[in-house]
Amino acid sequence: MKKYLIMALAVIVTYGAINWLFPFSPILLNSKITYQSNEQNVDAYLNINGTLENIQLTSINNPPEFQRIAYGISQLWAMEKEPVKINLKDLTVIEQQLQQSKDYLNNLMKDSPELASLIAIENNINEILQDIKKIMDNQWTSRFFIQDTISNIRNSSFEALTHLEEFLLN
């Protein structure tokens, strides 16, 4: 009886260790990781998102694609001061939104005389898509790698919003 109790305890401890070290592991039932942005990053993110909304509301000349691009690259979880749980489905949704934003961006690039900011936004979107691919292709990556990659996604998204703001202000 004692032997079975030790084996059961070993399985539980092993499962817990795998859950903590490799949160997106395929053997886990509910794969997710908690991400917390620092307060300064959240404030900067909210500030630029508010600026973009004001620009879009006051400018009649901006096509609706800009609003769709801004929505696709603004990661709402990065604007939360509280910890946010992110799972693989969330990353898939982010990937789809970014792909749509990239399509809208490519359509705008055909007609725009000022390409530098749009190319910078496209580069940021490509960086985010590569980071998401890194996580999804190797689900046995460590918690620390995933957290760093999610931070990179947040930073690239913030840069893309900054480039979009610069483009719209010009």
Side-chain angles (χ1 to χ4, degrees):
M1 184 70 161
K2 199 175 196 182
K3 180 177 166 184
Y4 293 118
L5 182 61
I6 291 172
M7 286 180 14
L9 189 59
V11 168
I12 292 170
V13 168
T14 302
Y15 185 81
I18 289 173
N19 188 18
W20 192 84
L21 285 172
F22 308 106
F24 289 156
S25 163
I27 66 169
L28 298 177
L29 301 175
N30 192 9
S31 300
K32 62 184 166 197
I33 192 166
T34 303
Y35 178 77
Q36 169 114 32
S37 292
N38 70 31
E39 205 165 313
Q40 287 177 318
N41 289 343
V42 171
D43 291 340
Y45 221 109
L46 288 171
N47 186 27
I48 196 158
N49 199 41
T51 303
L52 282 172
E53 287 176 5
N54 288 338
I55 292 170
Q56 291 171 4
L57 289 175
T58 57
S59 178
I60 300 170
N61 299 332
N62 292 334
E65 282 84 6
F66 284 117
Q67 188 173 11
R68 293 183 191 127
I69 292 168
Y71 175 76
I73 60 178
S74 64
Q75 304 304 320
L76 299 177
W77 53 267
M79 296 184 206
E80 295 290 326
K81 292 185 180 182
E82 300 298 318
V84 177
K85 294 187 185 312
I86 299 172
N87 59 29
L88 289 173
K89 287 180 186 176
D90 296 329
L91 291 176
T92 303
V93 169
I94 292 169
E95 183 180 34
Q96 291 169 349
Q97 289 174 341
L98 288 168
Q99 201 59 49
Q100 288 175 344
S101 294
K102 192 173 171 182
D103 293 341
Y104 294 132
L105 192 63
N106 287 333
N107 288 339
L108 289 173
M109 285 178 155
K110 295 174 188 171
D111 301 330
S112 177
E114 188 179 319
L115 287 176
S117 295
L118 296 179
I119 291 173
I121 295 168
E122 184 179 34
N123 290 339
N124 291 131
I125 290 173
N126 288 335
E127 288 174 26
I128 297 170
L129 291 172
Q130 287 173 355
D131 285 339
I132 291 172
K133 187 171 176 21
K134 283 181 203 173
I135 294 173
M136 296 182 96
D137 285 351
N138 188 4
Q139 295 176 8
W140 281 99
T141 55
S142 74
R143 167 178 296 280
F144 308 109
F145 175 80
I146 293 170
Q147 287 177 334
D148 287 344
T149 306
I150 289 174
S151 290
N152 290 344
I153 290 169
R154 193 206 66 77
N155 293 339
S156 295
S157 175
F158 181 76
E159 286 178 32
L161 288 174
T162 305
H163 291 299
L164 183 61
E165 178 188 34
E166 289 171 7
F167 179 81
L168 291 174
L169 288 174
N170 288 339

